[in-house]
Amino acid sequence: MTVNQKNILSVRDMEREEIDRLLSAAAEFDRGNGTGHELDGKILAVLFFEPSTRTRMSFSSAMMRLGGKILNLGSVEATSIAKGETLSDTIRVVSGYADAIVLRHPKEGAARLASEVATVPVINGGDGAGQHPSQTLLDLYTIRESMPLSNIDIGLQGDLRYGRTVHSLAFALSKYNNVRIHTIAPEGLDFPASLKADLSELGVELICHDAVEECLPELDVLYVTRLQRERFPDPVAFDSYASTYRITPELLEIAKPNMIVLHPLPRVDEIDPRVDSLPCAKYFEQAHNGVPVRMAMLNEVMKS
Ligand code: CP
């Protein structure tokens, strides 16, 4: 954890022990072992400069389940940011109104910048194509419900260039033993070269595939992502990639019986809705796991 002042900015900075401790704390909340008063009297400021359903709502739900309250920035157009106020000034001001800030922003590095001027803990709720640590923790939590986090083969499919969830997850998996990462991405949407180099330096075994069929029979986890339309510089380029991959029940017939399918959601058309009723489909459970995992994170950064 970037736990200088208890910020949570990137899984890259987190020790495996910190991750495991948060996952264990999340499991306790999931079992109903909290008091519901852990954060009585505390306020979480929710500043989202990009659309969100899961992250915004599950952080809010988590805060309320811990006895705390929410202060929502609301629509950016209705704030003084629309008059030209900077992110830094906004964060400085909001630091005086709340006990912690969760920030989503389209610019990579925005959460780190915010943490440098904030006087309360900052949690990164997703920064551009950078990191999404709370998503990663709930992804790990969901995998851990089905299998150990070591000695597994995980396929990452879709937009690996712009998708921050897969960037975060790959770094988190580098902390566990004997995890092989299979990337399945259209040409031009694979992991950025710098990220591949960083992962390779960390000893991650990366195996690249053109088609999911090449690795599906080996996988324990298939993690599917949507194309990040909002990050494509050119709409024409986006159209050329649209509908490149689609997971169907027929395709999954060659998968291991216990393989699980994850997706950070929202999905567009990467997963056929007929997959939803199969036992391997864990993506809605994954979204629900956001509440206990974010309870653990909020409690960690705000507990007295
Ligand atoms: N997975 C995720 O971050 O979803 P939202 O964009 O809806 O928060």
Side-chain angles (χ1 to χ4, degrees):
M1 195 174 328
T2 305
V3 196
N4 38 27
Q5 162 186 333
K6 286 196 173 173
N7 304 304
I8 301 182
L9 303 178
S10 165
V11 288
R12 290 186 75 160
D13 308 329
M14 294 172 80
E15 300 293 336
R16 176 173 159 178
E17 292 68 31
E18 292 172 315
I19 294 175
D20 289 339
R21 186 165 46 78
L22 280 172
L23 298 184
S24 298
E28 289 304 314
F29 285 123
D30 210 0
R31 289 186 201 110
N33 289 339
T35 63
H37 297 287
E38 288 83 353
L39 296 182
D40 273 355
K42 302 279 188 187
I43 296 175
L44 175 69
V46 178
L47 277 64
F48 275 48
F49 292 77
E50 272 191 341
S52 166
T53 298
R54 278 145 291 272
T55 311
R56 180 204 297 265
M57 293 193 72
S58 61
F59 263 118
S60 302
S61 171
M63 188 62 183
M64 290 190 257
R65 286 178 191 277
L66 293 168
K69 292 192 167 59
I70 304 297
L71 187 59
N72 202 328
L73 178 75
S75 116
V76 173
E77 292 73 37
T79 70
S80 287
I81 294 153
K83 301 178 205 162
E85 186 164 41
T86 62
L87 177 65
S88 295
D89 281 0
T90 304
I91 295 291
R92 278 192 185 97
V93 170
V94 173
S95 286
Y97 300 162
D99 300 289
I101 293 170
V102 57
L103 174 71
R104 170 169 289 189
H105 199 278
K107 290 253 162 52
E108 197 168 334
R112 199 168 291 279
L113 171 77
S115 73
E116 285 164 9
V117 294
T119 54
V120 295
V122 174
I123 298 178
N124 182 1
D127 62 329
Q131 293 277 312
H132 195 347
S134 64
Q135 178 69 46
T136 297
L137 290 172
L138 74 89
D139 294 342
L140 296 176
Y141 184 85
T142 309
I143 296 171
R144 210 174 77 157
E145 284 186 319
S146 295
M147 65 194 79
L149 284 167
S150 298
N151 301 313
I152 56 171
D153 283 78
I154 178 164
L156 303 179
Q157 174 173 320
D159 182 351
L160 308 187
R161 178 171 179 184
Y162 297 114
R164 59 191 167 210
T165 63
V166 282
H167 298 170
S168 268
L169 183 56
F171 280 107
L173 290 169
S174 74
K175 298 170 195 294
Y176 292 87
N177 298 330
N178 201 20
V179 176
R180 284 166 300 285
I181 297 180
H182 300 257
T183 61
I184 311 119
E187 201 181 336
L189 292 186
D190 202 355
F191 277 145
S194 61
L195 190 137
K196 277 187 183 173
D198 288 352
L199 289 170
S200 159
E201 213 166 279
L202 291 167
V204 173
E205 193 178 339
L206 271 182
I207 309 146
C208 302
H209 304 274
D210 294 324
V212 68
E213 291 89 334
E214 290 172 22
C215 59
L216 194 51
E218 291 170 55
L219 298 182
D220 300 293
V221 180
L222 174 61
Y223 191 100
V224 185
T225 63
R226 73 181 169 93
L227 300 185
Q228 305 283 304
R229 176 193 283 272
E230 64 275 28
R231 302 199 202 294
F232 272 70
D234 173 6
V236 177
F238 176 83
D239 290 343
S240 72
Y241 286 118
S243 303
T244 311
Y245 297 111
R246 185 170 167 86
I247 302 301
T248 62
E250 293 75 24
L251 181 68
L252 291 172
E253 281 171 14
I254 61 168
K256 286 182 188 173
N258 295 328
M259 188 199 76
I260 60 170
V261 179
L262 301 182
H263 191 308
L265 303 178
R267 75 173 145 185
V268 183
D269 59 3
E270 317 76 47
I271 301 181
D272 186 321
R274 291 178 301 141
V275 174
D276 299 358
S277 56
L278 301 180
C280 64
K282 300 290 183 193
Y283 29 90
F284 290 111
E285 280 176 50
Q286 184 186 358
H288 295 162
N289 287 337
V291 175
V293 167
R294 289 174 171 127
M295 287 171 81
M297 296 173 75
L298 292 172
N299 194 39
E300 177 71 21
V301 302
M302 275 187 276
K303 68 186 173 197
S304 309

Short mmCIF file of all heavy atoms in Angstrom, two decimals, residues 8 19-40 58-59 61-68 137 141 144-145 288-304:
data_model
loop_
_atom_site.label_atom_id
_atom_site.label_comp_id
_atom_site.label_asym_id
_atom_site.label_seq_id
_atom_site.Cartn_x
_atom_site.Cartn_y
_atom_site.Cartn_z
N ILE A 8 -4.12 4.70 -0.62
CA ILE A 8 -4.07 3.47 -1.43
C ILE A 8 -4.12 3.93 -2.88
O ILE A 8 -5.18 4.27 -3.40
CB ILE A 8 -5.22 2.51 -1.10
CG1 ILE A 8 -5.18 2.11 0.39
CG2 ILE A 8 -5.11 1.25 -1.98
CD1 ILE A 8 -6.25 1.12 0.83
N ILE A 19 -1.72 -6.95 1.03
CA ILE A 19 -2.84 -7.39 0.19
C ILE A 19 -3.57 -8.53 0.90
O ILE A 19 -4.80 -8.49 1.06
CB ILE A 19 -2.34 -7.87 -1.20
CG1 ILE A 19 -1.75 -6.69 -1.98
CG2 ILE A 19 -3.46 -8.53 -1.98
CD1 ILE A 19 -1.12 -7.06 -3.31
N ASP A 20 -2.83 -9.52 1.37
CA ASP A 20 -3.47 -10.68 2.02
C ASP A 20 -4.22 -10.26 3.28
O ASP A 20 -5.29 -10.79 3.58
CB ASP A 20 -2.41 -11.75 2.35
CG ASP A 20 -1.90 -12.44 1.08
OD1 ASP A 20 -2.60 -12.39 0.05
OD2 ASP A 20 -0.80 -13.02 1.12
N ARG A 21 -3.66 -9.30 4.01
CA ARG A 21 -4.32 -8.83 5.22
C ARG A 21 -5.65 -8.14 4.89
O ARG A 21 -6.66 -8.38 5.54
CB ARG A 21 -3.37 -7.87 5.97
CG ARG A 21 -3.87 -7.41 7.32
CD ARG A 21 -2.76 -6.77 8.14
NE ARG A 21 -1.94 -5.83 7.39
CZ ARG A 21 -2.30 -4.59 7.10
NH1 ARG A 21 -3.46 -4.14 7.49
NH2 ARG A 21 -1.48 -3.79 6.43
N LEU A 22 -5.65 -7.33 3.83
CA LEU A 22 -6.89 -6.66 3.43
C LEU A 22 -7.93 -7.68 2.94
O LEU A 22 -9.12 -7.56 3.22
CB LEU A 22 -6.61 -5.64 2.32
CG LEU A 22 -6.04 -4.30 2.79
CD1 LEU A 22 -5.61 -3.45 1.59
CD2 LEU A 22 -7.08 -3.52 3.60
N LEU A 23 -7.46 -8.71 2.21
CA LEU A 23 -8.40 -9.72 1.72
C LEU A 23 -9.00 -10.51 2.89
O LEU A 23 -10.19 -10.84 2.88
CB LEU A 23 -7.71 -10.69 0.73
CG LEU A 23 -7.14 -10.05 -0.55
CD1 LEU A 23 -6.58 -11.13 -1.47
CD2 LEU A 23 -8.20 -9.25 -1.31
N SER A 24 -8.19 -10.78 3.89
CA SER A 24 -8.71 -11.49 5.08
C SER A 24 -9.69 -10.60 5.84
O SER A 24 -10.74 -11.08 6.32
CB SER A 24 -7.56 -11.89 6.01
OG SER A 24 -6.71 -12.78 5.33
N ALA A 25 -9.39 -9.30 5.94
CA ALA A 25 -10.33 -8.38 6.61
C ALA A 25 -11.64 -8.31 5.83
O ALA A 25 -12.73 -8.29 6.41
CB ALA A 25 -9.70 -6.99 6.72
N ALA A 26 -11.53 -8.31 4.49
CA ALA A 26 -12.75 -8.28 3.65
C ALA A 26 -13.59 -9.53 3.90
O ALA A 26 -14.82 -9.46 3.98
CB ALA A 26 -12.36 -8.18 2.18
N ALA A 27 -12.92 -10.67 4.05
CA ALA A 27 -13.64 -11.93 4.29
C ALA A 27 -14.42 -11.86 5.60
O ALA A 27 -15.55 -12.36 5.70
CB ALA A 27 -12.66 -13.11 4.29
N GLU A 28 -13.84 -11.22 6.61
CA GLU A 28 -14.54 -11.07 7.89
C GLU A 28 -15.80 -10.21 7.71
O GLU A 28 -16.87 -10.54 8.22
CB GLU A 28 -13.62 -10.45 8.95
CG GLU A 28 -12.52 -11.39 9.42
CD GLU A 28 -13.06 -12.71 9.95
OE1 GLU A 28 -14.02 -12.69 10.74
OE2 GLU A 28 -12.54 -13.77 9.55
N PHE A 29 -15.65 -9.08 6.98
CA PHE A 29 -16.84 -8.25 6.74
C PHE A 29 -17.89 -9.03 5.94
O PHE A 29 -19.09 -8.93 6.21
CB PHE A 29 -16.45 -6.96 6.00
CG PHE A 29 -15.76 -5.94 6.88
CD1 PHE A 29 -14.50 -5.45 6.55
CD2 PHE A 29 -16.39 -5.46 8.02
CE1 PHE A 29 -13.87 -4.51 7.36
CE2 PHE A 29 -15.77 -4.51 8.84
CZ PHE A 29 -14.50 -4.04 8.50
N ASP A 30 -17.41 -9.82 4.97
CA ASP A 30 -18.31 -10.61 4.11
C ASP A 30 -19.10 -11.61 4.96
O ASP A 30 -20.27 -11.90 4.67
CB ASP A 30 -17.43 -11.36 3.09
CG ASP A 30 -18.15 -11.59 1.78
OD1 ASP A 30 -19.32 -11.16 1.65
OD2 ASP A 30 -17.54 -12.19 0.88
N ARG A 31 -18.46 -12.13 6.00
CA ARG A 31 -19.14 -13.12 6.88
C ARG A 31 -20.05 -12.43 7.90
O ARG A 31 -20.62 -13.07 8.76
CB ARG A 31 -18.09 -13.95 7.64
CG ARG A 31 -17.34 -14.93 6.77
CD ARG A 31 -16.43 -15.83 7.61
NE ARG A 31 -15.39 -16.38 6.77
CZ ARG A 31 -14.11 -16.07 6.81
NH1 ARG A 31 -13.67 -15.22 7.73
NH2 ARG A 31 -13.26 -16.61 5.98
N GLY A 32 -20.11 -11.11 7.84
CA GLY A 32 -20.98 -10.38 8.78
C GLY A 32 -20.34 -10.15 10.12
O GLY A 32 -21.03 -9.88 11.11
N ASN A 33 -19.00 -10.22 10.16
CA ASN A 33 -18.32 -10.09 11.44
C ASN A 33 -17.90 -8.66 11.81
O ASN A 33 -17.07 -8.47 12.69
CB ASN A 33 -17.08 -11.01 11.48
CG ASN A 33 -17.51 -12.47 11.57
OD1 ASN A 33 -18.63 -12.76 11.98
ND2 ASN A 33 -16.64 -13.38 11.15
N GLY A 34 -18.45 -7.66 11.11
CA GLY A 34 -18.17 -6.28 11.51
C GLY A 34 -19.21 -5.82 12.54
O GLY A 34 -20.20 -6.50 12.77
N THR A 35 -18.95 -4.65 13.14
CA THR A 35 -19.91 -4.11 14.12
C THR A 35 -20.92 -3.19 13.46
O THR A 35 -21.98 -2.91 14.01
CB THR A 35 -19.17 -3.31 15.21
OG1 THR A 35 -18.53 -2.18 14.56
CG2 THR A 35 -18.11 -4.14 15.91
N GLY A 36 -20.56 -2.67 12.27
CA GLY A 36 -21.40 -1.66 11.63
C GLY A 36 -21.15 -0.27 12.17
O GLY A 36 -21.79 0.70 11.76
N HIS A 37 -20.19 -0.15 13.09
CA HIS A 37 -19.91 1.17 13.71
C HIS A 37 -18.42 1.53 13.61
O HIS A 37 -17.97 2.43 14.30
CB HIS A 37 -20.32 1.16 15.19
CG HIS A 37 -21.80 0.95 15.36
ND1 HIS A 37 -22.73 1.91 15.08
CD2 HIS A 37 -22.48 -0.16 15.74
CE1 HIS A 37 -23.93 1.43 15.30
NE2 HIS A 37 -23.82 0.17 15.70
N GLU A 38 -17.68 0.78 12.79
CA GLU A 38 -16.23 1.00 12.73
C GLU A 38 -15.89 2.44 12.37
O GLU A 38 -14.89 2.98 12.85
CB GLU A 38 -15.60 0.05 11.68
CG GLU A 38 -15.55 -1.41 12.08
CD GLU A 38 -16.84 -2.16 11.81
OE1 GLU A 38 -17.85 -1.51 11.43
OE2 GLU A 38 -16.86 -3.38 11.99
N LEU A 39 -16.68 3.05 11.49
CA LEU A 39 -16.35 4.42 11.04
C LEU A 39 -17.45 5.41 11.41
O LEU A 39 -17.68 6.40 10.70
CB LEU A 39 -16.07 4.42 9.53
CG LEU A 39 -14.86 3.59 9.09
CD1 LEU A 39 -14.66 3.71 7.58
CD2 LEU A 39 -13.57 4.00 9.80
N ASP A 40 -18.09 5.17 12.55
CA ASP A 40 -19.10 6.12 13.05
C ASP A 40 -18.51 7.54 13.09
O ASP A 40 -17.39 7.73 13.59
CB ASP A 40 -19.50 5.75 14.49
CG ASP A 40 -20.63 4.73 14.53
OD1 ASP A 40 -21.16 4.38 13.46
OD2 ASP A 40 -20.95 4.27 15.64
N SER A 58 -20.31 1.07 -4.67
CA SER A 58 -19.87 0.10 -3.66
C SER A 58 -19.00 0.77 -2.60
O SER A 58 -19.03 0.37 -1.44
CB SER A 58 -19.18 -1.12 -4.29
OG SER A 58 -18.05 -0.74 -5.00
N PHE A 59 -18.24 1.81 -2.96
CA PHE A 59 -17.53 2.57 -1.92
C PHE A 59 -18.56 3.25 -1.00
O PHE A 59 -18.40 3.27 0.23
CB PHE A 59 -16.61 3.64 -2.52
CG PHE A 59 -15.17 3.20 -2.64
CD1 PHE A 59 -14.54 3.11 -3.88
CD2 PHE A 59 -14.43 2.87 -1.50
CE1 PHE A 59 -13.21 2.71 -3.98
CE2 PHE A 59 -13.09 2.47 -1.61
CZ PHE A 59 -12.49 2.38 -2.85
N SER A 61 -21.71 2.31 -0.44
CA SER A 61 -22.37 1.26 0.35
C SER A 61 -21.44 0.79 1.47
O SER A 61 -21.88 0.63 2.63
CB SER A 61 -22.73 0.10 -0.58
OG SER A 61 -23.18 -0.99 0.16
N ALA A 62 -20.17 0.59 1.14
CA ALA A 62 -19.19 0.13 2.15
C ALA A 62 -19.09 1.13 3.29
O ALA A 62 -19.09 0.76 4.47
CB ALA A 62 -17.83 -0.07 1.48
N MET A 63 -19.03 2.44 2.95
CA MET A 63 -18.91 3.46 3.98
C MET A 63 -20.14 3.46 4.88
O MET A 63 -20.03 3.54 6.11
CB MET A 63 -18.73 4.83 3.28
CG MET A 63 -18.39 5.96 4.21
SD MET A 63 -16.80 5.68 5.04
CE MET A 63 -16.71 7.09 6.12
N MET A 64 -21.30 3.33 4.28
CA MET A 64 -22.54 3.33 5.09
C MET A 64 -22.61 2.09 5.97
O MET A 64 -23.07 2.15 7.10
CB MET A 64 -23.75 3.42 4.16
CG MET A 64 -23.86 4.79 3.51
SD MET A 64 -25.41 5.01 2.64
CE MET A 64 -24.91 4.82 0.97
N ARG A 65 -22.14 0.95 5.45
CA ARG A 65 -22.18 -0.29 6.24
C ARG A 65 -21.19 -0.24 7.42
O ARG A 65 -21.29 -1.03 8.34
CB ARG A 65 -21.87 -1.50 5.36
CG ARG A 65 -23.04 -1.85 4.45
CD ARG A 65 -22.72 -3.01 3.54
NE ARG A 65 -23.74 -3.18 2.52
CZ ARG A 65 -24.89 -3.82 2.69
NH1 ARG A 65 -25.15 -4.38 3.85
NH2 ARG A 65 -25.76 -3.91 1.70
N LEU A 66 -20.25 0.69 7.36
CA LEU A 66 -19.30 0.86 8.47
C LEU A 66 -19.75 1.97 9.42
O LEU A 66 -19.03 2.35 10.34
CB LEU A 66 -17.90 1.18 7.92
CG LEU A 66 -17.22 0.04 7.14
CD1 LEU A 66 -15.99 0.57 6.40
CD2 LEU A 66 -16.82 -1.10 8.06
N GLY A 67 -20.93 2.54 9.16
CA GLY A 67 -21.46 3.58 10.05
C GLY A 67 -21.08 4.99 9.63
O GLY A 67 -21.45 5.96 10.31
N GLY A 68 -20.34 5.12 8.52
CA GLY A 68 -19.89 6.45 8.09
C GLY A 68 -20.87 7.13 7.14
O GLY A 68 -21.91 6.57 6.79
N LEU A 137 -8.12 -5.60 -5.82
CA LEU A 137 -8.31 -6.34 -4.57
C LEU A 137 -9.58 -7.19 -4.64
O LEU A 137 -9.60 -8.34 -4.19
CB LEU A 137 -8.35 -5.38 -3.38
CG LEU A 137 -7.00 -4.73 -3.05
CD1 LEU A 137 -7.17 -3.65 -1.99
CD2 LEU A 137 -5.99 -5.76 -2.58
N TYR A 141 -9.81 -11.19 -4.49
CA TYR A 141 -10.74 -11.77 -3.51
C TYR A 141 -11.64 -12.80 -4.19
O TYR A 141 -11.87 -13.90 -3.67
CB TYR A 141 -11.57 -10.65 -2.89
CG TYR A 141 -12.49 -11.09 -1.78
CD1 TYR A 141 -12.02 -11.21 -0.48
CD2 TYR A 141 -13.83 -11.41 -2.03
CE1 TYR A 141 -12.87 -11.62 0.55
CE2 TYR A 141 -14.67 -11.81 -1.02
CZ TYR A 141 -14.19 -11.92 0.27
OH TYR A 141 -15.03 -12.34 1.28
N ARG A 144 -9.71 -15.88 -5.11
CA ARG A 144 -9.37 -16.63 -3.90
C ARG A 144 -10.57 -17.39 -3.34
O ARG A 144 -10.40 -18.36 -2.60
CB ARG A 144 -8.83 -15.65 -2.84
CG ARG A 144 -7.83 -16.27 -1.90
CD ARG A 144 -7.22 -15.24 -0.99
NE ARG A 144 -8.11 -14.84 0.09
CZ ARG A 144 -7.71 -14.32 1.25
NH1 ARG A 144 -6.43 -14.15 1.47
NH2 ARG A 144 -8.55 -13.97 2.18
N GLU A 145 -11.77 -16.99 -3.70
CA GLU A 145 -12.96 -17.74 -3.27
C GLU A 145 -13.05 -19.08 -4.00
O GLU A 145 -13.74 -19.99 -3.54
CB GLU A 145 -14.23 -16.94 -3.57
CG GLU A 145 -14.47 -15.80 -2.59
CD GLU A 145 -15.82 -15.13 -2.83
OE1 GLU A 145 -16.18 -14.94 -4.01
OE2 GLU A 145 -16.49 -14.83 -1.84
N HIS A 288 -20.26 -7.76 -6.61
CA HIS A 288 -20.79 -7.69 -5.24
C HIS A 288 -19.66 -7.72 -4.21
O HIS A 288 -19.78 -7.12 -3.14
CB HIS A 288 -21.76 -8.86 -5.00
CG HIS A 288 -22.98 -8.78 -5.87
ND1 HIS A 288 -23.80 -9.85 -6.12
CD2 HIS A 288 -23.51 -7.74 -6.56
CE1 HIS A 288 -24.79 -9.46 -6.92
NE2 HIS A 288 -24.63 -8.19 -7.21
N ASN A 289 -18.58 -8.41 -4.54
CA ASN A 289 -17.45 -8.47 -3.61
C ASN A 289 -16.80 -7.09 -3.40
O ASN A 289 -16.01 -6.90 -2.48
CB ASN A 289 -16.39 -9.45 -4.11
CG ASN A 289 -16.84 -10.90 -3.94
OD1 ASN A 289 -17.69 -11.21 -3.12
ND2 ASN A 289 -16.27 -11.80 -4.74
N GLY A 290 -17.16 -6.14 -4.25
CA GLY A 290 -16.63 -4.78 -4.08
C GLY A 290 -17.00 -4.18 -2.74
O GLY A 290 -16.25 -3.37 -2.20
N VAL A 291 -18.13 -4.58 -2.18
CA VAL A 291 -18.54 -3.97 -0.91
C VAL A 291 -17.64 -4.42 0.25
O VAL A 291 -17.01 -3.59 0.90
CB VAL A 291 -20.04 -4.21 -0.63
CG1 VAL A 291 -20.41 -3.67 0.75
CG2 VAL A 291 -20.88 -3.52 -1.70
N PRO A 292 -17.52 -5.74 0.55
CA PRO A 292 -16.65 -6.10 1.68
C PRO A 292 -15.19 -5.70 1.47
O PRO A 292 -14.51 -5.31 2.43
CB PRO A 292 -16.80 -7.63 1.78
CG PRO A 292 -17.39 -8.08 0.50
CD PRO A 292 -18.19 -6.92 -0.02
N VAL A 293 -14.73 -5.77 0.21
CA VAL A 293 -13.33 -5.40 -0.05
C VAL A 293 -13.13 -3.90 0.22
O VAL A 293 -12.16 -3.49 0.86
CB VAL A 293 -12.93 -5.77 -1.49
CG1 VAL A 293 -11.60 -5.13 -1.89
CG2 VAL A 293 -12.84 -7.29 -1.63
N ARG A 294 -14.07 -3.10 -0.20
CA ARG A 294 -13.92 -1.64 0.02
C ARG A 294 -14.18 -1.29 1.48
O ARG A 294 -13.63 -0.31 1.98
CB ARG A 294 -14.80 -0.88 -0.99
CG ARG A 294 -14.20 -1.02 -2.39
CD ARG A 294 -15.02 -0.46 -3.51
NE ARG A 294 -14.24 -0.46 -4.75
CZ ARG A 294 -14.65 -1.00 -5.90
NH1 ARG A 294 -15.82 -1.59 -6.01
NH2 ARG A 294 -13.84 -0.96 -6.97
N MET A 295 -14.98 -2.10 2.17
CA MET A 295 -15.11 -1.89 3.63
C MET A 295 -13.75 -2.06 4.29
O MET A 295 -13.34 -1.26 5.14
CB MET A 295 -16.11 -2.89 4.23
CG MET A 295 -17.56 -2.59 3.89
SD MET A 295 -18.68 -3.92 4.39
CE MET A 295 -18.89 -3.57 6.12
N ALA A 296 -13.04 -3.12 3.88
CA ALA A 296 -11.71 -3.37 4.46
C ALA A 296 -10.76 -2.21 4.15
O ALA A 296 -9.99 -1.77 5.02
CB ALA A 296 -11.15 -4.69 3.93
N MET A 297 -10.83 -1.69 2.93
CA MET A 297 -9.93 -0.58 2.55
C MET A 297 -10.25 0.69 3.33
O MET A 297 -9.35 1.37 3.85
CB MET A 297 -10.05 -0.31 1.04
CG MET A 297 -9.60 -1.47 0.18
SD MET A 297 -9.96 -1.20 -1.58
CE MET A 297 -8.69 0.00 -1.98
N LEU A 298 -11.55 1.02 3.42
CA LEU A 298 -11.94 2.25 4.12
C LEU A 298 -11.57 2.15 5.60
O LEU A 298 -11.08 3.11 6.20
CB LEU A 298 -13.44 2.49 3.95
CG LEU A 298 -13.89 2.85 2.53
CD1 LEU A 298 -15.42 2.86 2.43
CD2 LEU A 298 -13.33 4.21 2.11
N ASN A 299 -11.81 0.97 6.17
CA ASN A 299 -11.49 0.79 7.59
C ASN A 299 -9.98 0.93 7.80
O ASN A 299 -9.53 1.54 8.77
CB ASN A 299 -11.98 -0.59 8.04
CG ASN A 299 -12.00 -0.71 9.54
OD1 ASN A 299 -12.35 0.22 10.24
ND2 ASN A 299 -11.58 -1.86 10.05
N GLU A 300 -9.22 0.40 6.87
CA GLU A 300 -7.75 0.45 6.98
C GLU A 300 -7.25 1.90 6.98
O GLU A 300 -6.39 2.26 7.77
CB GLU A 300 -7.13 -0.31 5.79
CG GLU A 300 -5.62 -0.29 5.74
CD GLU A 300 -4.97 -1.13 6.81
OE1 GLU A 300 -5.64 -2.03 7.35
OE2 GLU A 300 -3.79 -0.88 7.10
N VAL A 301 -7.79 2.72 6.09
CA VAL A 301 -7.23 4.09 5.98
C VAL A 301 -7.82 5.06 7.00
O VAL A 301 -7.22 6.08 7.29
CB VAL A 301 -7.36 4.69 4.55
CG1 VAL A 301 -6.67 3.82 3.53
CG2 VAL A 301 -8.80 4.95 4.16
N MET A 302 -9.01 4.74 7.55
CA MET A 302 -9.65 5.74 8.44
C MET A 302 -9.74 5.30 9.90
O MET A 302 -10.12 6.12 10.73
CB MET A 302 -11.05 6.05 7.92
CG MET A 302 -11.05 7.12 6.87
SD MET A 302 -12.73 7.63 6.42
CE MET A 302 -13.14 6.39 5.22
N LYS A 303 -9.43 4.03 10.18
CA LYS A 303 -9.63 3.61 11.57
C LYS A 303 -8.70 4.41 12.49
O LYS A 303 -7.60 4.79 12.10
CB LYS A 303 -9.42 2.11 11.73
CG LYS A 303 -8.00 1.65 11.54
CD LYS A 303 -7.90 0.14 11.58
CE LYS A 303 -6.51 -0.30 11.21
NZ LYS A 303 -6.38 -1.70 10.83
N SER A 304 -9.16 4.66 13.69
CA SER A 304 -8.39 5.50 14.62
C SER A 304 -7.20 4.72 15.17
O SER A 304 -7.25 3.55 15.34
CB SER A 304 -9.26 5.95 15.77
OG SER A 304 -10.44 6.52 15.24
#
